[in-house]
């Protein structure tokens, strides 16, 4: 066993320093710089003396303990009771002695001055050794090898390659371990090496098993992996950790904690973590990195969606960014991306037309040689709710029907009503200017261009559009209905054909065909009549004054007569006649429609060809035993149907969340209510689950028939669902009426492992630095001299102390050094 004071590198440095200083001393003396030469000479003697001291110590140990070779460990001890304070005071005394010797030897030749100072310094150091009483403790110990844990990242990002011809990261890790056989063998001389793979958790493995690992982990949790490894070993049984990874951490290394907490955690491991970066530069990727949108939104209110698009390693290019829903593009923007690594935020604005859940998707096209394609799309869910029903009522002139409808809407606390009335038409004779007769100017552009999407329902009541400059905005109204809005046109002298709507965009959204300007015959009939329910109208939500068909027909027969109706040419194929005239006929010989409903695009429209529905309220209330409630009930039904309000549905199908992880259980609650809106115990509901963003091409994945319990509900659980958009469709029959309900939810990809696939060497460097390990970077082989904690001592068989300070030779050395210095000073005349 060799006793050394200095590591090999320091020993070589001292020897080289001694030689260099000797040469520098000679040069300084030749140039007449005696002071500098003396200083360099002293330093040269000190460095040489340090090497001599190490040799003397080794010699002393060998002489004092002839069996030192039987010991396998040693350590330095200080027997004096002074501790660190004594060491500090003794060191200060040595420095003071050397300084005084330097001052006292001024004027002496450089070599002689350096020698005198060196001799006194050596004597002072010898006295310090006696003062501190150092010793070498020799021990013969038995050690149990501790363990080195090699962690290999096998998450999905390790399956990536930075080029089409290069190895994947997991293959690079395998090649590294294969090429490091010599280093691993050197480690195993004093340690045992354990191998683990890690992603969401850690799993023991071997070099043979690693050869078939395909790196399919769904997350990279550095902290969890280190915690689990640390928990497997007690104290110093863990010599150290070698972590091989690309540095792509799921959610950041600290998993929602700060940098300070990360450093504290790594220090608490009490072991070194050496890191190896398995990734390389050159990866190409374009990804939808993040989508920022509110979880809730109000119907028919603009929603802002911010998407962060991240490019990595790609040249400058223009990329289309698309926002889709139901598998159909909704918005698209062309975005210019500079070359390199950049994040660009793209903003979309959409207006949800109906209450419910909407699944949107932001996508970018796949780039050439792109490493990851699964992050080119990102789906998210927005829940659309209704604050109030926002209604725009535009009336051509005051009247009983206009007043009744406005009063009913204003009295409804759930309605936000905006009403505009034309109090004076262009045909009225006036002796004053128009601007003095108007209460406010008609806000045509603001209503029908800027504010139109914010309304849930538009009511055009006896309104002629031509005199008020609205013709240019009729296309906006049609688009509004097609996009999901609701439209009602009521009869009157300025409605339908009489209002000049034939051939206009609004006429396209109505459920009836209007008479043209060249059609002969009247367009209005003023006779009294009682509208008759059609077969469809007996069960339609708009005309259901009672739930059952028989009760509903009876209720309609008790309603007061109406007076006057606008005549229409026919009903469109998509229109549904709910009530018709008992006597009048269309040109085709069919009964003249009075109340007609239709779907138009994603919206709905309703035509009421009379302007005397107010009689159901005011007129009916004048009769004994009638409160006129049927008028309010009709319009409440009509509004609910037009805005597609889900609240009044008898069947409800709701998943317990809007987003799920892969293979997570999905609980669907089905609730069935009878015609009296009470739980329908024992009712049967057909439930179908389809997968696909586009409803027209969604594939069926599950179907079941469910019987609800006494409380009208049943919970159905779905499991094992792959990532994607899922639609639930429910169907049931109540009193002969078909009722439907649907819901939508999203199953996400597992984790965010590939959201940012570029390797991150900085994360690995921070782990190594904070734990006291070494960040090796992108190496091809592991070094054999990595620092690990030594094996744990099991027992100490022998121990002996070699006291360096009590040797007679040390005393003689001190006396000799002082004698030589005294002799040299005497001969130099410095005594």
């Amino acid at each position: 066993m060799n006793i050394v004071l200095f590591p090999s590198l320091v020993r070589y440095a001292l020897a080289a320093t001694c030689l260099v200083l000797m040469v520098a001393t000679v040069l300084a003396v030749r140039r007449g710089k005696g002071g500098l030469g003396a200083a360099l000479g002293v330093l040269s003697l000190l460095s040489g003396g340090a090497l001599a001291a190490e040799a003397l110590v080794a010699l002393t140990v060998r002489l004092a303990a002839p069996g030192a070779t039987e010991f396998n460990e040693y350590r330095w001890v200080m027997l004096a009771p002074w501790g660190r304070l004594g060491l500090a005071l003794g060191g200060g005394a040595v420095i003071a002695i050397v300084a005084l010797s330097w001052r006292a030897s001024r004027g002496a030749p450089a070599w002689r001055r350096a020698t005198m100072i060196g001799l006194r310094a050596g004597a002072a150091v010898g006295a310090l050794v006696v003062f501190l009483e150092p010793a070498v403790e020799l021990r013969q110990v038995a050690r149990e090898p501790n363990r080195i844990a090699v962690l290999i990242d096998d998450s999905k990002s390790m399956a990536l390659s930075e080029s089409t011809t290069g190895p994947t990261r997991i293959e690079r890790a395998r090649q590294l371990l294969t090429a490091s056989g010599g280093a691993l063998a050197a480690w195993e001389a004093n340690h045992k090496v354990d191998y683990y793979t890690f992603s969401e958790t850690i799993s023991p493995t071997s070099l043979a098993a690693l050869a078939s690992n395909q790196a399919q982990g769904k997350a990279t949790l550095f902290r969890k992996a280190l915690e689990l490894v640390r928990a497997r070993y007690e104290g110093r049984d863990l010599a150290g950790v070698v972590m091989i990874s690309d540095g792509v951490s799921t959610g950041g290394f600290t998993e929602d904690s700060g940098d300070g907490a990360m450093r504290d955690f790594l220090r608490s491991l009490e072991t070194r973590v050496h890191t190896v970066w398995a990734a390389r530069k050159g990866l190409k990727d374009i990804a939808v990195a993040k989508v920022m949108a509110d979880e809730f939104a109000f119907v028919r209110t603009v929603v802002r969606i911010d998407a962060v698009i991240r490019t990595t390693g790609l040249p400058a290019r223009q990329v289309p960014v698309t926002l889709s829903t139901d598998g159909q593009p909704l918005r698209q923007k062309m975005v210019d991306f500079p070359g390199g690594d950049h994040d660009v935020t793209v903003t979309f604005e959409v207006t949800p037309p109906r209450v419910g859940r909407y699944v949107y998707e932001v996508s970018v096209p796949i780039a050439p040689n792109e490493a990851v394609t699964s992050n080119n799309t990102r789906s998210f869910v927005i829940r659309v709710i209704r604050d109030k029903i926002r209604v725009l009522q535009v009336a051509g002139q005051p009247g009983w029907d206009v007043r009744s409808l406005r009063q009913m809407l204003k009295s409804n606390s759930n309605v936000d009503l905006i009403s505009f009335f034309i109090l004076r038409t262009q045909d009225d004779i006036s002796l004053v200017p128009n601007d003095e007769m108007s209460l406010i100017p008609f806000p045509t552009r603001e209503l029908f261009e800027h504010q139109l999407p914010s309304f849930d329902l538009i009511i055009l009541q006896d309104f002629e559009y031509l005199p008020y400059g609205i013709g240019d905005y009729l296309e906006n109204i049609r688009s509004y209905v097609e996009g999901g809005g609701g439209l009602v046109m009521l009869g009157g002298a300025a409605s339908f054909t009489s209002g000049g709507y034939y051939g206009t965009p609004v006429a396209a959204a109505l459920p009836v065909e209007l008479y043209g300007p060249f059609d002969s015959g009247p367009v209005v009939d003023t006779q009294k009549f009682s509208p008759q329910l059609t077969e469809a109208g007996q069960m339609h939500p708009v005309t259901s004054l009672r739930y059952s068909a028989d009760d509903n027909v009876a209720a309609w027969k008790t309603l007061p007569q109406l007076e006057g109706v606008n005549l229409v040419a026919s009903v469109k194929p998509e229109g549904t006649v709910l009530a018709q005239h008992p006597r009048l006929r269309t040109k085709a010989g069919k009964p003249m429609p009075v109340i007609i409903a239709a779907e138009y695009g994603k919206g709905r429209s309703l035509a009421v060809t009379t302007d005397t529905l107010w009689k159901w309220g005011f007129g009916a209330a004048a009769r004994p035993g009638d409160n006129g409630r049927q008028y309010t009930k009709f319009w409440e039904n009509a509004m609910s149907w037009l805005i597609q309000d889900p609240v009044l549905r008898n069947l409800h199908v709701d998943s317990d969340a809007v987003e799920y992880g892969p293979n997570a259980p999905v609980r669907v609650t089905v609730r069935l209510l009878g015609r009296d809106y009470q739980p329908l115990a024992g009712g049967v509901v057909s439930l179908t689950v389809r997968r696909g963003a586009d409803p027209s091409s969604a594939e069926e994945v599950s179907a079941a028939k469910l019987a609800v319990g006494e409380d009208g509900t049943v919970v159905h659980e779905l499991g094992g669902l792959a990532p994607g958009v899922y639609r639930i469709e429910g169907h049931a029959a109540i009193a002969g009426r078909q009722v439907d309900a649907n819901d939508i939810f999203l199953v996400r990809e597992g984790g965010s492992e590939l959201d940012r696939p570029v390797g991150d060497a900085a994360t690995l460097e921070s782990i190594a630095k904070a734990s006291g390990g070494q960040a090796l970077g992108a190496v091809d082989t592991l070094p054999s001299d990595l620092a690990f904690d030594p094996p744990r001592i099991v027992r100490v068989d022998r121990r002996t102390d070699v006291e360096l300070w009590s040797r007679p030779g040390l005393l003689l050395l001190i006396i000799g050094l002082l004698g030589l210095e005294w002799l040299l000073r005497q001969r130099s005349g410095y005594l």
Side-chain angles (χ1 to χ4, degrees):
M1 182 182 62
N2 294 322
I3 307 297
V4 296
L5 294 177
F6 311 107
S8 300
L9 185 61
V10 175
R11 193 180 304 116
Y12 296 145
L14 286 173
T17 301
C18 181
L19 293 174
V20 171
L21 290 175
M22 290 176 63
V23 173
T25 301
V26 172
L27 293 176
V29 171
R30 287 184 176 181
R31 294 182 180 181
K33 297 181 180 180
L36 177 61
L40 294 174
V42 171
L43 295 176
S44 174
L45 290 174
L46 290 176
S47 58
L51 293 174
E54 182 181 50
L56 287 174
V57 169
L59 179 61
T60 301
V61 171
R62 288 181 180 276
L63 294 175
T69 55
E70 299 176 3
F71 297 95
N72 55 13
E73 279 193 4
Y74 72 92
R75 65 172 183 168
W76 294 94
V77 295
M78 192 167 61
L79 302 180
W82 324 123
R84 293 184 179 180
L85 178 60
L87 179 62
L89 293 176
V94 171
I95 294 173
I97 290 171
V98 172
L100 291 173
S101 179
W102 174 270
R103 184 176 181 181
S105 59
R106 287 179 180 176
W111 277 110
R112 183 168 295 178
R113 187 181 187 189
T115 303
M116 288 189 295
I117 295 172
L119 291 172
R120 182 169 293 188
V125 171
L128 179 63
V129 170
V130 175
F131 175 72
L132 296 177
E133 301 180 8
V136 178
E137 182 184 23
L138 302 177
R139 300 189 300 174
Q140 186 182 51
V141 299
R143 291 183 178 273
E144 180 182 351
N146 53 5
R147 297 178 178 272
I148 299 172
V150 179
L151 297 179
I152 303 101
D153 184 356
D154 69 342
S155 61
K156 285 185 178 180
S157 63
M158 289 289 288
L160 301 178
S161 173
E162 283 76 18
S163 66
T164 55
T165 58
T168 63
R169 297 168 182 177
I170 191 68
E171 289 173 349
R172 194 175 289 123
R174 287 196 288 262
Q175 294 170 3
L176 169 71
L177 293 174
T178 301
S180 303
L184 296 176
W187 296 352
E188 290 174 349
N190 295 312
H191 313 277
K192 291 183 178 179
V193 181
D194 297 330
Y195 298 93
Y196 300 92
T197 57
F198 76 95
S199 51
E200 308 101 305
T201 186
I202 65 171
S203 301
T205 188
S206 64
L207 293 178
L210 192 63
S212 59
N213 192 300
Q214 299 301 313
Q216 293 300 310
K218 297 177 181 178
T220 306
L221 304 180
F222 288 127
R223 177 168 183 154
K224 185 176 181 181
L226 292 172
E227 284 178 340
L228 294 175
V229 165
R230 176 72 269 186
R232 284 175 174 257
Y233 306 98
E234 295 182 2
R236 297 181 67 84
D237 282 349
L238 182 61
V241 177
V242 178
M243 177 178 285
I244 305 173
S245 173
D246 56 9
V248 179
S249 176
T250 304
F253 165 70
T254 55
E255 281 105 44
D256 301 326
S257 61
D259 292 340
M262 181 263 295
R263 288 192 296 269
D264 293 341
F265 163 72
L266 290 171
R267 289 169 183 166
S268 70
L269 295 176
E270 297 180 347
T271 191
R272 299 177 180 88
V273 180
H274 307 291
T275 59
V276 178
W277 192 44
R280 297 293 186 269
K281 296 182 179 180
L283 183 137
K284 294 181 174 61
D285 184 56
I286 181 170
V288 184
K290 184 190 299 182
V291 174
M292 295 167 287
D294 293 333
E295 183 179 353
F296 291 92
F298 291 113
V299 66
R300 310 210 63 79
T301 302
V302 175
V303 178
R304 174 174 172 149
I305 299 170
D306 293 322
V308 178
I309 311 300
R310 176 179 295 133
T311 58
T312 304
L314 293 173
R317 60 178 55 205
Q318 190 177 64
V319 176
V321 183
T322 306
L323 176 69
S324 306
T325 185
D326 289 342
Q328 302 299 320
L330 195 63
R331 304 280 190 277
Q332 187 177 81
K333 290 188 176 181
M334 299 299 297
V335 182
D336 292 317
F337 287 88
D341 302 347
H342 295 279
D343 286 2
V344 176
T345 300
V346 182
T347 300
F348 297 99
E349 289 186 347
V350 296
T351 305
R354 293 184 301 275
V355 173
R357 294 177 182 176
Y358 288 81
V359 175
Y360 292 97
E361 181 185 82
V362 178
S363 61
V364 292
I366 297 174
N369 299 323
E370 186 174 356
V372 183
T373 59
S374 61
N375 60 10
N376 290 51
T377 63
R378 184 177 287 270
S379 300
F380 57 98
V381 178
I382 295 180
R383 300 181 184 183
V384 180
I385 59 177
R386 177 173 284 109
D387 181 19
K388 286 189 174 183
I389 304 173
R390 199 154 190 259
V391 178
L392 172 62
Q393 181 189 20
V394 181
Q397 55 187 334
W400 285 107
D401 204 40
V402 173
R403 177 182 176 183
S404 298
L405 182 55
R406 183 173 183 271
Q407 183 174 339
M408 188 278 298
L409 293 173
K410 285 186 64 178
S411 64
N412 191 329
S413 60
N414 293 322
V415 173
D416 180 15
L417 178 64
I418 306 295
S419 295
F420 282 93
F421 298 89
I422 307 301
L423 301 178
R424 182 177 62 88
T425 68
Q426 300 294 330
D427 297 330
D428 294 333
I429 299 175
S430 175
L431 301 178
V432 296
N434 286 340
D435 57 354
E436 295 183 13
M437 291 292 291
S438 299
L439 296 177
I440 59 171
F442 192 65
T444 305
R445 183 175 183 182
E446 181 179 358
L447 280 179
F448 296 105
E449 185 170 324
H450 301 302
Q451 296 296 323
L452 190 63
S454 69
F455 291 103
D456 297 295
L457 178 61
I458 298 175
I459 300 175
L460 300 179
Q461 195 167 10
D462 198 15
F463 178 71
E464 185 181 4
Y465 71 91
L466 280 173
Y468 308 105
I470 300 179
D472 294 338
Y473 301 98
L474 295 184
E475 172 58 28
N476 293 359
I477 297 176
R478 186 204 65 78
S479 298
Y480 157 84
V481 180
E482 186 178 44
L487 173 66
V488 181
M489 180 175 285
L490 284 85
S495 288
F496 298 103
T497 302
S498 303
Y501 286 98
Y502 174 82
T504 65
V506 167
L510 292 176
V512 294
E513 297 285 359
L514 305 182
Y515 284 115
F518 301 107
D519 291 326
S520 59
V523 293
V524 174
D525 183 85
T526 59
Q527 299 298 314
K528 291 183 178 182
F529 70 99
S530 293
Q532 297 177 344
L533 284 179
T534 63
E535 183 177 354
Q538 294 176 14
M539 301 294 291
H540 197 277
V542 172
T543 48
S544 292
L545 304 181
R546 297 288 188 273
Y547 196 89
S548 72
D550 293 340
D551 292 345
N552 193 37
V553 171
W556 273 78
K557 289 181 178 179
T558 64
L559 294 175
Q561 283 189 320
L562 304 180
E563 185 176 349
V565 66
N566 290 75
L567 305 180
V568 296
S570 62
V571 177
K572 293 180 179 178
E574 63 271 17
T576 301
V577 180
L578 308 180
Q580 59 193 17
H581 201 283
R583 300 183 304 275
L584 299 179
R585 294 290 186 270
T586 64
K587 288 185 176 181
K590 296 183 179 181
M592 183 65 65
V594 177
I595 302 175
I596 314 95
E599 305 270 351
Y600 183 74
K602 295 181 179 180
R604 292 175 174 177
S605 64
L606 182 69
V608 180
T609 60
T610 180
D611 62 352
T612 56
L613 290 184
W614 62 271
K615 291 179 177 289
W616 293 353
F618 289 171
R623 300 187 303 184
D626 195 338
N627 58 7
R629 172 65 185 164
Q630 309 297 357
Y631 177 78
T632 303
K633 176 67 174 175
F634 171 81
W635 279 113
E636 287 177 348
N637 290 348
M639 283 193 299
S640 296
W641 181 81
L642 285 162
I643 66 175
Q644 306 178 51
D645 193 343
V647 175
L648 297 180
R649 292 176 181 169
N650 295 86
L651 178 61
H652 297 264
V653 175
D654 300 294
S655 58
D656 60 341
V658 295
E659 294 185 8
Y660 300 87
N663 300 316
V666 178
R667 293 178 177 84
V668 180
T669 300
V670 179
R671 185 168 181 241
L672 184 62
L673 305 177
R675 64 185 187 180
D676 56 356
Y677 289 94
Q678 297 300 310
L680 186 59
V684 177
V685 179
S686 298
L687 203 66
T688 304
V689 181
R690 304 179 188 276
R691 179 176 179 268
D694 188 350
S696 62
S697 59
E699 60 177 346
E700 182 177 319
V701 297
S702 174
K705 286 188 177 294
L706 309 174
V708 301
E710 293 295 326
D711 59 352
T713 64
V714 63
V715 177
H716 183 62
E717 186 168 308
L718 304 169
L721 298 178
V725 177
Y726 287 84
R727 302 173 185 275
I728 312 173
E729 301 170 359
H731 309 281
I734 303 174
R737 172 186 290 184
Q738 174 82 15
V739 292
D740 305 305
N742 57 75
D743 195 16
I744 190 170
F745 63 88
L746 175 68
V747 177
R748 285 198 175 279
E749 293 279 353
S752 54
E753 174 69 17
L754 298 180
D755 286 354
R756 187 164 192 165
V758 63
D760 185 6
T763 297
L764 300 178
E765 291 171 0
S766 65
I767 292 174
K769 181 179 180 181
S771 65
Q774 184 177 349
L776 300 175
V779 296
D780 295 325
T781 59
L782 295 171
S784 58
D785 59 349
L786 277 179
F788 296 108
D789 292 337
R792 180 168 57 91
I793 296 175
V794 178
R795 65 182 185 276
V796 179
D797 295 329
R798 292 179 58 192
R799 183 175 65 184
T800 185
D801 292 335
V802 178
E803 297 178 353
L804 302 178
W805 63 277
S806 62
R807 301 296 163 184
L810 179 61
L811 181 60
L812 293 176
L813 177 63
I814 295 173
I815 295 172
L817 291 175
L818 290 175
L820 287 174
E821 190 219 4
W822 178 83
L823 182 62
L824 192 58
R825 282 182 175 276
Q826 185 184 42
R827 298 193 61 172
S828 302
Y830 282 91
L831 288 178

